[in-house]
Amino acid sequence: MKTERNWGWPIAGYLFLGGLGGGAIIVSSVADLFLGRGDVFALGSFITAALIAVGSGLLVFELGRPLRFWRVFSRQKAIMTVGAWMLSLLIVTGFLYFTFWPDFSPWRPAVGLRKALAVLNLVLGLGVCTYTGILLGSLNARRFWNTPALPVLFLVSGLSTGVALQSLLAGAWPYAGGQEAVEALHDTLRAVDLALIVMELVVIMVYVLMMRTTAGSAAARAAARWLNGAYVKWFWGGVIAAGLLLPLVLYALGVPVLPALCVLAGGLILRFLVVYSDDRTFLPGEEKYLARLPRGDEAFLRAGTQQ
Amino acid sequence: MTRYAMIMDTRRCIGCESCTVACRIGNKLPIDMIYNPVTTVGPVGIYPHVHMIHYPLLCMHCENPPCVSACPTGASQQAQNGIVWVEEAKCIGCKACIQACPYHARHHNHETGTVYKCDFCKGRLELGLEPHCVKTCHQRARIFGDLDDPESEIARLYNSVATVQLLPECDTEPSVYYILSAGGQG
């Protein structure tokens, strides 16, 4: 059957990188502004800018006319326009913020300016983490997306993956201080990520189970694919078991590195499942109509191209 | 003011798909693109008490088009006369409008990279001609015209027969109305 699949893997990849980058820059900013330990997460801000840049590259790659991407910086009130501005700004401010940290940086002593950038990064990070869920959630044609639970899920998942990434990068160059501070922050990150994982478990189960019960059959159809249909392995095995429950146990046992990698993998799988759940309510008779359309590999369609 | 609209009289539609063919030829559409499919519901019931409805579809030219508000570049626009159209030079092919449309009325053209859709044959209207699908419908199941002109055939029909819009729960206010024949409606 000919299926309507509009956004593909580049968008899933972008949603993952956007949430990850947004979450990671929030960690850098909060550590700098409220804990006075921005130095430990300095490299994270650079990696964030790079990840957001790669994610934006995926967005451009997905376009039908990539060279016209600049037109998105218009004065439209579309959520996508707002998102494009936030992404571009965050790439610049994230990188600028990083340049305050290396020893050789001439503006390293300008602490006030750095903190101002951290505030801006915090706001942009929250924006980038959240707007993608609002973008998908505002499309009422897509019944599985059209719920306030989606932005909440994306925000919690983005924060969780961001914390996981920062736990891998904490204490890396250009940080040159002692290891005790890094260890203490590792404990904090672990506690925060544990809380976020529990929250994400609740949010995702509420989201999918509630969608399963909605009267609009399109949303229920998508939720059924997650719970006991085509995506059953990816949802229960990938997102829930490998991405949430396993890191919960590993964090509790104090295993290093591995839980963070699990969280990252779970976040990536989640974005794929969401992007591939763009179900629409069928118009009268549409399902039957689509089923009898050629798929594109029929002999009569190939006749012109064969020798 | 002109407010273009279409009424589909499903009591008249026989599901011949002439409109689909006329549209594809007239608008020179790529092979995998259909602006106006004709879907069929039924047959419902047991012979000899059966019925069947054909739904000629196309862009609903919504008064409140979600595709236009989703467009980040301003390529998707709503004209004064209600026609929703794409200014191709501004379209970047982000497919946000496709995701926003509840009616599957927007299509990604893999050759040009941009999004194509029914524009009520805007170019033909400017020349005083009817859209291809309306012109070709030998059963006169597609009634097209200006709803704001009280003397027009469509306005008189709209005011005299019960019609429904598709997916009203999406709050899009379609300009395409259906007269249903089943179950004595309309």
Side-chain angles (χ1 to χ4, degrees):
Chain A
M1 178 172 155
K2 189 186 164 97
T3 51
E4 184 191 2
R5 165 94 14 111
N6 300 313
W7 283 338
W9 66 266
I11 299 296
Y14 156 70
L15 291 175
F16 171 68
L17 293 175
L20 174 62
I25 202 78
I26 290 170
V27 174
S28 287
S29 304
V30 168
D32 193 2
L33 294 171
F34 303 111
L35 308 175
R37 296 313 315 220
D39 51 350
V40 177
F41 303 111
L43 183 64
S45 59
F46 175 74
I47 299 290
T48 293
L51 289 176
I52 300 271
V54 171
S56 306
L58 286 175
L59 285 182
V60 173
F61 175 75
E62 165 78 19
L63 294 179
R65 296 296 291 259
L67 295 180
R68 288 185 189 165
F69 79 92
W70 53 270
R71 285 192 176 273
V72 85
F73 300 105
S74 62
R75 276 185 287 169
Q76 297 297 314
K77 292 187 183 76
I79 301 167
M80 204 179 259
T81 307
V82 177
W85 280 109
M86 289 197 297
L87 290 173
S88 318
L89 265 176
L90 186 53
I91 294 171
V92 175
T93 58
F95 179 73
L96 276 181
Y97 174 82
F98 168 75
T99 62
F100 280 83
W101 290 107
D103 303 331
F104 51 81
S105 170
W107 43 85
R108 192 178 153 89
V111 176
L113 208 53
R114 193 193 74 214
K115 298 244 177 194
L117 269 177
V119 172
L120 191 56
N121 281 343
L122 182 62
V123 174
L124 287 171
L126 277 170
V128 166
C129 254
T130 316
Y131 98 90
T132 47
I134 297 174
L135 172 64
L136 299 192
S138 66
L139 303 169
N140 77 11
R142 309 289 156 177
R143 306 307 300 167
F144 189 72
W145 294 351
N146 186 215
T147 154
L150 187 64
V152 175
L153 176 62
F154 274 11
L155 176 63
V156 176
S157 171
L159 287 174
S160 174
T161 50
V163 169
L165 177 73
Q166 289 285 20
S167 78
L168 296 175
L169 298 172
W173 177 88
Y175 176 71
Q179 279 305 302
E180 305 79 39
V182 179
E183 283 306 317
L185 282 169
H186 260 299
D187 289 342
T188 312
L189 286 182
R190 188 161 58 230
V192 171
D193 213 5
L194 270 171
L196 286 170
I197 287 172
V198 173
M199 273 169 68
E200 191 177 338
L201 266 171
V202 174
V203 172
I204 198 169
M205 288 317 298
V206 169
Y207 174 33
V208 182
L209 291 174
M210 290 301 285
M211 289 318 258
R212 184 74 186 87
T213 68
T214 47
S217 64
R221 189 169 70 224
R225 280 206 306 280
W226 289 47
L227 292 167
N228 47 22
Y231 304 158
V232 67
K233 277 185 208 149
W234 291 106
F235 175 61
W236 290 112
V239 177
I240 299 291
L244 294 169
L245 293 177
L246 186 61
L248 206 60
V249 174
L250 294 175
Y251 270 135
L253 293 175
V255 179
V257 181
L258 207 54
L261 294 179
C262 287
V263 166
L264 291 175
L268 182 59
I269 297 170
L270 173 67
R271 299 315 192 284
F272 270 91
L273 293 188
V274 170
V275 167
Y276 289 163
S277 300
D278 57 353
D279 292 56
R280 192 167 47 75
T281 304
F282 284 119
L283 298 166
E286 190 189 3
E287 203 172 0
K288 202 163 72 176
Y289 181 85
L290 291 176
R292 72 181 168 87
L293 284 184
R295 291 185 307 275
D297 56 354
E298 283 79 359
F300 78 92
L301 283 173
R302 278 178 294 151
T305 58
Q306 272 177 345
Q307 293 297 313
Chain B
M1 282 284 287
T2 307
R3 184 156 58 102
Y4 285 122
M6 202 181 283
I7 291 183
M8 306 295 191
D9 193 341
T10 68
R11 299 170 302 186
R12 288 175 164 273
C13 179
I14 58 171
C16 71
E17 299 183 76
S18 298
C19 49
T20 309
V21 175
C23 172
R24 290 178 52 126
I25 295 173
N27 291 308
K28 300 187 178 61
L29 298 186
I31 191 160
D32 57 349
M33 203 181 287
I34 299 172
Y35 285 171
N36 54 357
V38 180
T39 65
T40 303
V41 173
V44 176
I46 297 169
Y47 181 84
H49 305 291
V50 289
H51 72 267
M52 196 164 169
I53 309 178
H54 302 292
Y55 285 84
L57 302 170
L58 79 172
C59 170
M60 301 286 145
H61 295 276
C62 307
E63 266 184 65
N64 176 22
C67 51
V68 172
S69 33
C71 178
T73 68
S76 280
Q77 304 166 34
Q78 185 181 36
Q80 291 276 315
N81 56 20
I83 292 179
V84 177
W85 63 291
V86 179
E87 187 179 341
E88 200 181 353
K90 285 189 182 171
C91 177
I92 60 175
C94 71
K95 306 188 255 311
C97 56
I98 300 181
Q99 299 283 25
C101 176
Y103 303 101
H104 197 181
R106 288 175 165 262
H107 311 272
H108 186 237
N109 184 329
H110 299 284
E111 287 160 31
T112 62
T114 51
V115 170
Y116 276 47
K117 70 180 290 297
C118 159
D119 60 359
F120 269 166
C121 290
K122 199 156 68 73
R124 285 175 61 87
L125 295 179
E126 282 160 12
L127 298 173
L129 302 167
E130 293 176 304
H132 285 295
C133 56
V134 176
K135 175 85 180 155
T136 205
C137 184
H138 40 82
Q139 302 301 311
R140 300 192 13 87
R142 288 173 179 258
I143 296 97
F144 178 80
D146 176 10
L147 264 188
D148 279 356
D149 171 8
E151 296 306 312
S152 68
E153 184 189 1
I154 189 168
R156 277 183 285 142
L157 193 58
Y158 178 78
N159 291 328
S160 58
V161 183
T163 56
V164 298
Q165 295 160 309
L166 296 183
L167 301 182
E169 67 270 27
C170 288
D171 284 340
T172 52
E173 275 302 311
S175 300
V176 176
Y177 301 87
Y178 289 79
I179 299 173
L180 298 179
S181 55
Q185 299 172 51

